[in-house]
Amino acid sequence: MGVIEKDGKFYPDEEFKSKALINSYEKYQEMYKRSIEDPENFWREMSEELFWYKKPEKILDYNFDTQKGKVFHEWFKGGYTNVCYNALDRHLDNPTKNRVALLWQGEPDEDVKVFSYQMLHREVCRFANVLKKKGLKKGDRVCIYLPMIWELPVAMLACARLGIIHAIVFGGFSADALRDRIQESGSKLLITVDQTLRNGRKFDLKTNADDALKDCPLVTDCIVVQRTGSEIPWTEGRDTWWNDEINADDISNFCECEQMEAEDPLFILYTSGSTGKPKGQVHTTGGYMLYVYLTTKYIFDLQPESTFWCMADIGWITGHSYIVYGPLLNGTTSFMYEGTPLWPAPDRAWDLIERYEINVCYTAPTVIRALSRQGEEWPAKHPMKSLRVLGSVGEPINPDAWKWYHKNVGKENCPIVDTWWQTETGGILIAPLPGAWPTKPGSATFPFFGVVPRSADPGVDDPSKLGQKMPPGEAGHLCMEKPWPALSRTIYGDHQRWIDTYFTQFPGMYFTGDGVLVDEEGYHFLQGRVDDVINVSGHRIGTADVESALVMHDAVAEAAAAGMPHEIKGQGIYVFVTLKMGHEPSDDLRKELVSHVRKEIGAIASPDKLQFAPALPKTRSGKIMRRILRKIVENKVDELGDVSTLEDSAVIEELVKNRLG
Ligand code: PRX
């Protein structure tokens, strides 16, 4: 056993607790209290678990209040370190140098690659030397557009070693999305692949990269990994093969680490929002490093020799923090899988857990729902006795999915950690410590060290209450009262936008964009986004991105996107489109518009439903009333609320009548 159920709560049992790093609520409280009341000493002490060339002078300096001047936060100033050193070199003593760092399984069964810490160190040093040879240096940006192949973490760590800022673009993004991100980040070099494998099929990535690079004159070098060996287009003088570069005679096995100041950027990662272009979140060396190190250790209760499988794609923040940096900083084994969990058979994931004796499995509710649909017989074939902790991330987990995961995957033995966080937050902010307190299905429970969440009154009914704590049991907007080390520092190239996006709605606090309900016992239940961001299978899709892709099409006058409930994906994308004069609604045009969005952004942003509308509901000042569109899409027409500010309420009747069910 590992978990005991009592009155709807799930308690870690004595055996689990006996091995847990933090095994009581009191122990957590003691550390948590110190992290809030004495952050200086708490974080200094924590920082000493990692290696610094020079210890930090000042632990924290910040201002979250726009009234008091510039909003900023800085951590570990005056400290010098290197994330790659801490992730690799720190483990190069015996016996840990021969521990497995990265265990990579390709989609075809026979493609397996195992790197010990020593081997990964060597590979990373060699690739860092390649980047150096290309003339890249500290502060330069490199864009990485790769699928889940082992070269991806090697490239990231090589960048970190030299202080080069990586900007990873998810391999499912289109050429246009890639181009925007390369341009925004000012990257000088692109790393990509010939083709990617997915469900037994091959997809071109290099052709996308070529399309993107047409408009990226800054990029003078493109390093291409050979994954499938298919014929691909080639630009002499710009394109070179990964293997040729890394195996060149003048590339040595060692490369010195750059000594990085704690606040030097480590990477940029783009996220979508409800307005404007994607936001390049800037994460820094010291704070991000320490925070992902600690959250990985305590939330997944790492044991010596743990094998950790985070099923996310490294193209998203979850993969950055919990496939690459977190597990390696802890000296544990990170298992990385190229394929999808359903192919070639619905028990692929369970088979891999069994085969590699995975101890921690971290995935998303959408994956759990998709796997549960296949039937209990698939996990039933696999005892998965090695599993100790299960994790969930990306969207609210419905209690049914939670219980299915608990029963069929954890076999009722493994605590589930429902982890709430965001690209901006760098690491997990609210989650159970699995040996310390009981969980409740659907709740991310309590905050991690240093994190002070507040369920804040949005001030809609009574503006004077804006920001005040909501009473237990009533949903509010989730804010953070204080900084923690991994919160993004800025939006690349636009600090004012960072301030405007996160610090203006609730004075003095970071606003997450999510709703939350805190119950009588202080458990946090996340309610999904309260803004116009759509969460498709745990991926954040900005309504603005979908809409601007649609209006780029000749036939489209206006477009509005909203999230619709979807059984597997959590939310699907529903769009309303008004056409320009001379264009008529038709099924062909609908298909064309859907594929246009796929081309502009990528398959993940493909609208599930597209409704042609003669007009969109607007206020008298001409703003689209999204609140109303959301209610129509969710089929909550009786909750439309006050529509008196609408210019023409007949528009709504028309939309409701033609709603696609
Ligand atoms: O709405 C929340 C949801 O995902 C959003 C962040 O998306 P992204 O930046 O892409 O990062 C995803 C992985 C960290 C949040 O604003 N979200 C994430 N985790 C949870 C969640 N919603 C509920 N419960 C979670 N555990």
Side-chain angles (χ1 to χ4, degrees), residues 465-485:
K465 287 196 169 159
L466 176 75
Q468 286 179 15
K469 243 185 210 153
M470 290 301 281
E474 284 181 40
H477 288 195
L478 179 61
C479 296
M480 298 294 156
E481 294 179 20
K482 290 178 192 296
W484 61 96

mmCIF file with all atom_site columns, all heavy atoms in Angstrom, residues 465-485:
data_model
loop_
_atom_site.group_PDB
_atom_site.id
_atom_site.type_symbol
_atom_site.label_atom_id
_atom_site.label_alt_id
_atom_site.label_comp_id
_atom_site.label_asym_id
_atom_site.label_entity_id
_atom_site.label_seq_id
_atom_site.pdbx_PDB_ins_code
_atom_site.Cartn_x
_atom_site.Cartn_y
_atom_site.Cartn_z
_atom_site.occupancy
_atom_site.B_iso_or_equiv
_atom_site.pdbx_formal_charge
_atom_site.auth_seq_id
_atom_site.auth_comp_id
_atom_site.auth_asym_id
_atom_site.auth_atom_id
_atom_site.pdbx_PDB_model_num
ATOM 1   N N   . LYS A 1 465 ? -13.917 46.266 -3.109  1.00 0.00 ? 465 LYS A N   1
ATOM 2   C CA  . LYS A 1 465 ? -13.397 44.993 -2.586  1.00 0.00 ? 465 LYS A CA  1
ATOM 3   C C   . LYS A 1 465 ? -12.288 44.402 -3.452  1.00 0.00 ? 465 LYS A C   1
ATOM 4   O O   . LYS A 1 465 ? -11.770 43.322 -3.157  1.00 0.00 ? 465 LYS A O   1
ATOM 5   C CB  . LYS A 1 465 ? -14.530 43.983 -2.498  1.00 0.00 ? 465 LYS A CB  1
ATOM 6   C CG  . LYS A 1 465 ? -15.491 44.252 -1.378  1.00 0.00 ? 465 LYS A CG  1
ATOM 7   C CD  . LYS A 1 465 ? -16.312 43.010 -1.145  1.00 0.00 ? 465 LYS A CD  1
ATOM 8   C CE  . LYS A 1 465 ? -17.106 43.132 0.132   1.00 0.00 ? 465 LYS A CE  1
ATOM 9   N NZ  . LYS A 1 465 ? -18.237 42.207 0.131   1.00 0.00 ? 465 LYS A NZ  1
ATOM 10  N N   . LEU A 1 466 ? -11.948 45.085 -4.523  1.00 0.00 ? 466 LEU A N   1
ATOM 11  C CA  . LEU A 1 466 ? -10.940 44.564 -5.456  1.00 0.00 ? 466 LEU A CA  1
ATOM 12  C C   . LEU A 1 466 ? -9.686  44.076 -4.731  1.00 0.00 ? 466 LEU A C   1
ATOM 13  O O   . LEU A 1 466 ? -9.083  44.825 -3.966  1.00 0.00 ? 466 LEU A O   1
ATOM 14  C CB  . LEU A 1 466 ? -10.542 45.643 -6.467  1.00 0.00 ? 466 LEU A CB  1
ATOM 15  C CG  . LEU A 1 466 ? -9.421  45.238 -7.426  1.00 0.00 ? 466 LEU A CG  1
ATOM 16  C CD1 . LEU A 1 466 ? -9.950  44.284 -8.492  1.00 0.00 ? 466 LEU A CD1 1
ATOM 17  C CD2 . LEU A 1 466 ? -8.782  46.456 -8.085  1.00 0.00 ? 466 LEU A CD2 1
ATOM 18  N N   . GLY A 1 467 ? -9.346  42.834 -4.961  1.00 0.00 ? 467 GLY A N   1
ATOM 19  C CA  . GLY A 1 467 ? -8.108  42.296 -4.403  1.00 0.00 ? 467 GLY A CA  1
ATOM 20  C C   . GLY A 1 467 ? -8.266  41.672 -3.024  1.00 0.00 ? 467 GLY A C   1
ATOM 21  O O   . GLY A 1 467 ? -7.387  40.946 -2.576  1.00 0.00 ? 467 GLY A O   1
ATOM 22  N N   . GLN A 1 468 ? -9.387  41.940 -2.368  1.00 0.00 ? 468 GLN A N   1
ATOM 23  C CA  . GLN A 1 468 ? -9.552  41.356 -1.024  1.00 0.00 ? 468 GLN A CA  1
ATOM 24  C C   . GLN A 1 468 ? -9.730  39.843 -1.105  1.00 0.00 ? 468 GLN A C   1
ATOM 25  O O   . GLN A 1 468 ? -10.236 39.322 -2.081  1.00 0.00 ? 468 GLN A O   1
ATOM 26  C CB  . GLN A 1 468 ? -10.768 41.971 -0.328  1.00 0.00 ? 468 GLN A CB  1
ATOM 27  C CG  . GLN A 1 468 ? -10.501 43.376 0.140   1.00 0.00 ? 468 GLN A CG  1
ATOM 28  C CD  . GLN A 1 468 ? -11.726 43.988 0.810   1.00 0.00 ? 468 GLN A CD  1
ATOM 29  O OE1 . GLN A 1 468 ? -12.673 43.303 1.169   1.00 0.00 ? 468 GLN A OE1 1
ATOM 30  N NE2 . GLN A 1 468 ? -11.687 45.295 0.957   1.00 0.00 ? 468 GLN A NE2 1
ATOM 31  N N   . LYS A 1 469 ? -9.350  39.180 -0.021  1.00 0.00 ? 469 LYS A N   1
ATOM 32  C CA  . LYS A 1 469 ? -9.449  37.716 0.022   1.00 0.00 ? 469 LYS A CA  1
ATOM 33  C C   . LYS A 1 469 ? -10.901 37.268 -0.072  1.00 0.00 ? 469 LYS A C   1
ATOM 34  O O   . LYS A 1 469 ? -11.744 37.788 0.665   1.00 0.00 ? 469 LYS A O   1
ATOM 35  C CB  . LYS A 1 469 ? -8.883  37.228 1.354   1.00 0.00 ? 469 LYS A CB  1
ATOM 36  C CG  . LYS A 1 469 ? -7.681  36.373 1.169   1.00 0.00 ? 469 LYS A CG  1
ATOM 37  C CD  . LYS A 1 469 ? -7.189  35.801 2.471   1.00 0.00 ? 469 LYS A CD  1
ATOM 38  C CE  . LYS A 1 469 ? -5.696  35.648 2.318   1.00 0.00 ? 469 LYS A CE  1
ATOM 39  N NZ  . LYS A 1 469 ? -4.933  35.712 3.500   1.00 0.00 ? 469 LYS A NZ  1
ATOM 40  N N   . MET A 1 470 ? -11.189 36.301 -0.929  1.00 0.00 ? 470 MET A N   1
ATOM 41  C CA  . MET A 1 470 ? -12.537 35.762 -1.006  1.00 0.00 ? 470 MET A CA  1
ATOM 42  C C   . MET A 1 470 ? -12.759 34.838 0.188   1.00 0.00 ? 470 MET A C   1
ATOM 43  O O   . MET A 1 470 ? -11.829 34.165 0.645   1.00 0.00 ? 470 MET A O   1
ATOM 44  C CB  . MET A 1 470 ? -12.714 34.943 -2.281  1.00 0.00 ? 470 MET A CB  1
ATOM 45  C CG  . MET A 1 470 ? -12.721 35.761 -3.544  1.00 0.00 ? 470 MET A CG  1
ATOM 46  S SD  . MET A 1 470 ? -14.003 37.012 -3.603  1.00 0.00 ? 470 MET A SD  1
ATOM 47  C CE  . MET A 1 470 ? -15.425 36.037 -4.042  1.00 0.00 ? 470 MET A CE  1
ATOM 48  N N   . PRO A 1 471 ? -13.986 34.778 0.685   1.00 0.00 ? 471 PRO A N   1
ATOM 49  C CA  . PRO A 1 471 ? -14.250 33.839 1.780   1.00 0.00 ? 471 PRO A CA  1
ATOM 50  C C   . PRO A 1 471 ? -14.115 32.394 1.293   1.00 0.00 ? 471 PRO A C   1
ATOM 51  O O   . PRO A 1 471 ? -14.289 32.137 0.087   1.00 0.00 ? 471 PRO A O   1
ATOM 52  C CB  . PRO A 1 471 ? -15.705 34.129 2.160   1.00 0.00 ? 471 PRO A CB  1
ATOM 53  C CG  . PRO A 1 471 ? -16.195 35.195 1.265   1.00 0.00 ? 471 PRO A CG  1
ATOM 54  C CD  . PRO A 1 471 ? -15.157 35.532 0.252   1.00 0.00 ? 471 PRO A CD  1
ATOM 55  N N   . PRO A 1 472 ? -13.826 31.461 2.206   1.00 0.00 ? 472 PRO A N   1
ATOM 56  C CA  . PRO A 1 472 ? -13.703 30.058 1.796   1.00 0.00 ? 472 PRO A CA  1
ATOM 57  C C   . PRO A 1 472 ? -14.958 29.596 1.062   1.00 0.00 ? 472 PRO A C   1
ATOM 58  O O   . PRO A 1 472 ? -16.069 29.989 1.414   1.00 0.00 ? 472 PRO A O   1
ATOM 59  C CB  . PRO A 1 472 ? -13.571 29.310 3.131   1.00 0.00 ? 472 PRO A CB  1
ATOM 60  C CG  . PRO A 1 472 ? -13.133 30.322 4.114   1.00 0.00 ? 472 PRO A CG  1
ATOM 61  C CD  . PRO A 1 472 ? -13.628 31.649 3.640   1.00 0.00 ? 472 PRO A CD  1
ATOM 62  N N   . GLY A 1 473 ? -14.748 28.797 0.026   1.00 0.00 ? 473 GLY A N   1
ATOM 63  C CA  . GLY A 1 473 ? -15.891 28.248 -0.700  1.00 0.00 ? 473 GLY A CA  1
ATOM 64  C C   . GLY A 1 473 ? -16.387 29.127 -1.831  1.00 0.00 ? 473 GLY A C   1
ATOM 65  O O   . GLY A 1 473 ? -17.235 28.725 -2.608  1.00 0.00 ? 473 GLY A O   1
ATOM 66  N N   . GLU A 1 474 ? -15.867 30.364 -1.935  1.00 0.00 ? 474 GLU A N   1
ATOM 67  C CA  . GLU A 1 474 ? -16.297 31.239 -3.035  1.00 0.00 ? 474 GLU A CA  1
ATOM 68  C C   . GLU A 1 474 ? -15.134 31.485 -3.983  1.00 0.00 ? 474 GLU A C   1
ATOM 69  O O   . GLU A 1 474 ? -14.045 31.839 -3.544  1.00 0.00 ? 474 GLU A O   1
ATOM 70  C CB  . GLU A 1 474 ? -16.774 32.583 -2.483  1.00 0.00 ? 474 GLU A CB  1
ATOM 71  C CG  . GLU A 1 474 ? -18.137 32.511 -1.855  1.00 0.00 ? 474 GLU A CG  1
ATOM 72  C CD  . GLU A 1 474 ? -18.585 33.876 -1.352  1.00 0.00 ? 474 GLU A CD  1
ATOM 73  O OE1 . GLU A 1 474 ? -18.341 34.887 -2.041  1.00 0.00 ? 474 GLU A OE1 1
ATOM 74  O OE2 . GLU A 1 474 ? -19.153 33.904 -0.243  1.00 0.00 ? 474 GLU A OE2 1
ATOM 75  N N   . ALA A 1 475 ? -15.399 31.314 -5.274  1.00 0.00 ? 475 ALA A N   1
ATOM 76  C CA  . ALA A 1 475 ? -14.300 31.433 -6.237  1.00 0.00 ? 475 ALA A CA  1
ATOM 77  C C   . ALA A 1 475 ? -13.839 32.874 -6.395  1.00 0.00 ? 475 ALA A C   1
ATOM 78  O O   . ALA A 1 475 ? -14.641 33.802 -6.388  1.00 0.00 ? 475 ALA A O   1
ATOM 79  C CB  . ALA A 1 475 ? -14.734 30.875 -7.575  1.00 0.00 ? 475 ALA A CB  1
ATOM 80  N N   . GLY A 1 476 ? -12.534 33.038 -6.529  1.00 0.00 ? 476 GLY A N   1
ATOM 81  C CA  . GLY A 1 476 ? -11.963 34.356 -6.793  1.00 0.00 ? 476 GLY A CA  1
ATOM 82  C C   . GLY A 1 476 ? -10.923 34.247 -7.889  1.00 0.00 ? 476 GLY A C   1
ATOM 83  O O   . GLY A 1 476 ? -10.812 33.207 -8.551  1.00 0.00 ? 476 GLY A O   1
ATOM 84  N N   . HIS A 1 477 ? -10.171 35.325 -8.077  1.00 0.00 ? 477 HIS A N   1
ATOM 85  C CA  . HIS A 1 477 ? -9.111  35.318 -9.086  1.00 0.00 ? 477 HIS A CA  1
ATOM 86  C C   . HIS A 1 477 ? -7.777  35.052 -8.389  1.00 0.00 ? 477 HIS A C   1
ATOM 87  O O   . HIS A 1 477 ? -7.464  35.676 -7.381  1.00 0.00 ? 477 HIS A O   1
ATOM 88  C CB  . HIS A 1 477 ? -9.082  36.650 -9.829  1.00 0.00 ? 477 HIS A CB  1
ATOM 89  C CG  . HIS A 1 477 ? -10.248 36.814 -10.763 1.00 0.00 ? 477 HIS A CG  1
ATOM 90  N ND1 . HIS A 1 477 ? -10.290 37.767 -11.743 1.00 0.00 ? 477 HIS A ND1 1
ATOM 91  C CD2 . HIS A 1 477 ? -11.395 36.113 -10.881 1.00 0.00 ? 477 HIS A CD2 1
ATOM 92  C CE1 . HIS A 1 477 ? -11.423 37.660 -12.416 1.00 0.00 ? 477 HIS A CE1 1
ATOM 93  N NE2 . HIS A 1 477 ? -12.118 36.660 -11.902 1.00 0.00 ? 477 HIS A NE2 1
ATOM 94  N N   . LEU A 1 478 ? -7.008  34.144 -8.989  1.00 0.00 ? 478 LEU A N   1
ATOM 95  C CA  . LEU A 1 478 ? -5.770  33.727 -8.317  1.00 0.00 ? 478 LEU A CA  1
ATOM 96  C C   . LEU A 1 478 ? -4.636  34.736 -8.534  1.00 0.00 ? 478 LEU A C   1
ATOM 97  O O   . LEU A 1 478 ? -4.236  35.003 -9.675  1.00 0.00 ? 478 LEU A O   1
ATOM 98  C CB  . LEU A 1 478 ? -5.341  32.343 -8.820  1.00 0.00 ? 478 LEU A CB  1
ATOM 99  C CG  . LEU A 1 478 ? -4.054  31.788 -8.211  1.00 0.00 ? 478 LEU A CG  1
ATOM 100 C CD1 . LEU A 1 478 ? -4.166  31.610 -6.707  1.00 0.00 ? 478 LEU A CD1 1
ATOM 101 C CD2 . LEU A 1 478 ? -3.690  30.456 -8.868  1.00 0.00 ? 478 LEU A CD2 1
ATOM 102 N N   . CYS A 1 479 ? -4.147  35.283 -7.425  1.00 0.00 ? 479 CYS A N   1
ATOM 103 C CA  . CYS A 1 479 ? -3.008  36.215 -7.462  1.00 0.00 ? 479 CYS A CA  1
ATOM 104 C C   . CYS A 1 479 ? -1.908  35.685 -6.557  1.00 0.00 ? 479 CYS A C   1
ATOM 105 O O   . CYS A 1 479 ? -2.148  34.805 -5.736  1.00 0.00 ? 479 CYS A O   1
ATOM 106 C CB  . CYS A 1 479 ? -3.425  37.582 -6.924  1.00 0.00 ? 479 CYS A CB  1
ATOM 107 S SG  . CYS A 1 479 ? -4.664  38.376 -7.931  1.00 0.00 ? 479 CYS A SG  1
ATOM 108 N N   . MET A 1 480 ? -0.724  36.246 -6.705  1.00 0.00 ? 480 MET A N   1
ATOM 109 C CA  . MET A 1 480 ? 0.386   35.896 -5.826  1.00 0.00 ? 480 MET A CA  1
ATOM 110 C C   . MET A 1 480 ? 0.849   37.174 -5.134  1.00 0.00 ? 480 MET A C   1
ATOM 111 O O   . MET A 1 480 ? 1.139   38.175 -5.794  1.00 0.00 ? 480 MET A O   1
ATOM 112 C CB  . MET A 1 480 ? 1.547   35.292 -6.622  1.00 0.00 ? 480 MET A CB  1
ATOM 113 C CG  . MET A 1 480 ? 1.193   34.008 -7.339  1.00 0.00 ? 480 MET A CG  1
ATOM 114 S SD  . MET A 1 480 ? 0.819   32.683 -6.180  1.00 0.00 ? 480 MET A SD  1
ATOM 115 C CE  . MET A 1 480 ? -0.216  31.653 -7.227  1.00 0.00 ? 480 MET A CE  1
ATOM 116 N N   . GLU A 1 481 ? 0.914   37.098 -3.813  1.00 0.00 ? 481 GLU A N   1
ATOM 117 C CA  . GLU A 1 481 ? 1.243   38.302 -3.045  1.00 0.00 ? 481 GLU A CA  1
ATOM 118 C C   . GLU A 1 481 ? 2.721   38.636 -3.061  1.00 0.00 ? 481 GLU A C   1
ATOM 119 O O   . GLU A 1 481 ? 3.103   39.776 -2.879  1.00 0.00 ? 481 GLU A O   1
ATOM 120 C CB  . GLU A 1 481 ? 0.794   38.122 -1.587  1.00 0.00 ? 481 GLU A CB  1
ATOM 121 C CG  . GLU A 1 481 ? -0.704  38.024 -1.436  1.00 0.00 ? 481 GLU A CG  1
ATOM 122 C CD  . GLU A 1 481 ? -1.126  37.816 0.014   1.00 0.00 ? 481 GLU A CD  1
ATOM 123 O OE1 . GLU A 1 481 ? -0.327  38.116 0.928   1.00 0.00 ? 481 GLU A OE1 1
ATOM 124 O OE2 . GLU A 1 481 ? -2.259  37.346 0.220   1.00 0.00 ? 481 GLU A OE2 1
ATOM 125 N N   . LYS A 1 482 ? 3.554   37.607 -3.199  1.00 0.00 ? 482 LYS A N   1
ATOM 126 C CA  . LYS A 1 482 ? 5.005   37.832 -3.118  1.00 0.00 ? 482 LYS A CA  1
ATOM 127 C C   . LYS A 1 482 ? 5.711   37.152 -4.288  1.00 0.00 ? 482 LYS A C   1
ATOM 128 O O   . LYS A 1 482 ? 5.181   36.197 -4.852  1.00 0.00 ? 482 LYS A O   1
ATOM 129 C CB  . LYS A 1 482 ? 5.550   37.224 -1.824  1.00 0.00 ? 482 LYS A CB  1
ATOM 130 C CG  . LYS A 1 482 ? 5.143   37.954 -0.571  1.00 0.00 ? 482 LYS A CG  1
ATOM 131 C CD  . LYS A 1 482 ? 5.703   37.213 0.638   1.00 0.00 ? 482 LYS A CD  1
ATOM 132 C CE  . LYS A 1 482 ? 5.127   37.681 1.944   1.00 0.00 ? 482 LYS A CE  1
ATOM 133 N NZ  . LYS A 1 482 ? 5.408   39.049 2.317   1.00 0.00 ? 482 LYS A NZ  1
ATOM 134 N N   . PRO A 1 483 ? 6.936   37.603 -4.586  1.00 0.00 ? 483 PRO A N   1
ATOM 135 C CA  . PRO A 1 483 ? 7.669   36.927 -5.664  1.00 0.00 ? 483 PRO A CA  1
ATOM 136 C C   . PRO A 1 483 ? 8.270   35.608 -5.174  1.00 0.00 ? 483 PRO A C   1
ATOM 137 O O   . PRO A 1 483 ? 8.404   35.403 -3.972  1.00 0.00 ? 483 PRO A O   1
ATOM 138 C CB  . PRO A 1 483 ? 8.785   37.912 -5.985  1.00 0.00 ? 483 PRO A CB  1
ATOM 139 C CG  . PRO A 1 483 ? 9.018   38.657 -4.712  1.00 0.00 ? 483 PRO A CG  1
ATOM 140 C CD  . PRO A 1 483 ? 7.708   38.700 -3.988  1.00 0.00 ? 483 PRO A CD  1
ATOM 141 N N   . TRP A 1 484 ? 8.577   34.730 -6.088  1.00 0.00 ? 484 TRP A N   1
ATOM 142 C CA  . TRP A 1 484 ? 9.333   33.503 -5.804  1.00 0.00 ? 484 TRP A CA  1
ATOM 143 C C   . TRP A 1 484 ? 10.425  33.460 -6.863  1.00 0.00 ? 484 TRP A C   1
ATOM 144 O O   . TRP A 1 484 ? 10.330  34.153 -7.899  1.00 0.00 ? 484 TRP A O   1
ATOM 145 C CB  . TRP A 1 484 ? 8.409   32.278 -5.833  1.00 0.00 ? 484 TRP A CB  1
ATOM 146 C CG  . TRP A 1 484 ? 7.784   32.093 -7.161  1.00 0.00 ? 484 TRP A CG  1
ATOM 147 C CD1 . TRP A 1 484 ? 8.193   31.287 -8.174  1.00 0.00 ? 484 TRP A CD1 1
ATOM 148 C CD2 . TRP A 1 484 ? 6.646   32.814 -7.665  1.00 0.00 ? 484 TRP A CD2 1
ATOM 149 N NE1 . TRP A 1 484 ? 7.387   31.447 -9.275  1.00 0.00 ? 484 TRP A NE1 1
ATOM 150 C CE2 . TRP A 1 484 ? 6.441   32.378 -8.991  1.00 0.00 ? 484 TRP A CE2 1
ATOM 151 C CE3 . TRP A 1 484 ? 5.794   33.805 -7.146  1.00 0.00 ? 484 TRP A CE3 1
ATOM 152 C CZ2 . TRP A 1 484 ? 5.410   32.890 -9.787  1.00 0.00 ? 484 TRP A CZ2 1
ATOM 153 C CZ3 . TRP A 1 484 ? 4.778   34.304 -7.941  1.00 0.00 ? 484 TRP A CZ3 1
ATOM 154 C CH2 . TRP A 1 484 ? 4.595   33.844 -9.243  1.00 0.00 ? 484 TRP A CH2 1
ATOM 155 N N   . PRO A 1 485 ? 11.467  32.663 -6.651  1.00 0.00 ? 485 PRO A N   1
ATOM 156 C CA  . PRO A 1 485 ? 12.666  32.832 -7.492  1.00 0.00 ? 485 PRO A CA  1
ATOM 157 C C   . PRO A 1 485 ? 12.475  32.581 -8.991  1.00 0.00 ? 485 PRO A C   1
ATOM 158 O O   . PRO A 1 485 ? 13.224  33.123 -9.790  1.00 0.00 ? 485 PRO A O   1
ATOM 159 C CB  . PRO A 1 485 ? 13.642  31.799 -6.906  1.00 0.00 ? 485 PRO A CB  1
ATOM 160 C CG  . PRO A 1 485 ? 13.170  31.543 -5.517  1.00 0.00 ? 485 PRO A CG  1
ATOM 161 C CD  . PRO A 1 485 ? 11.699  31.742 -5.514  1.00 0.00 ? 485 PRO A CD  1
#
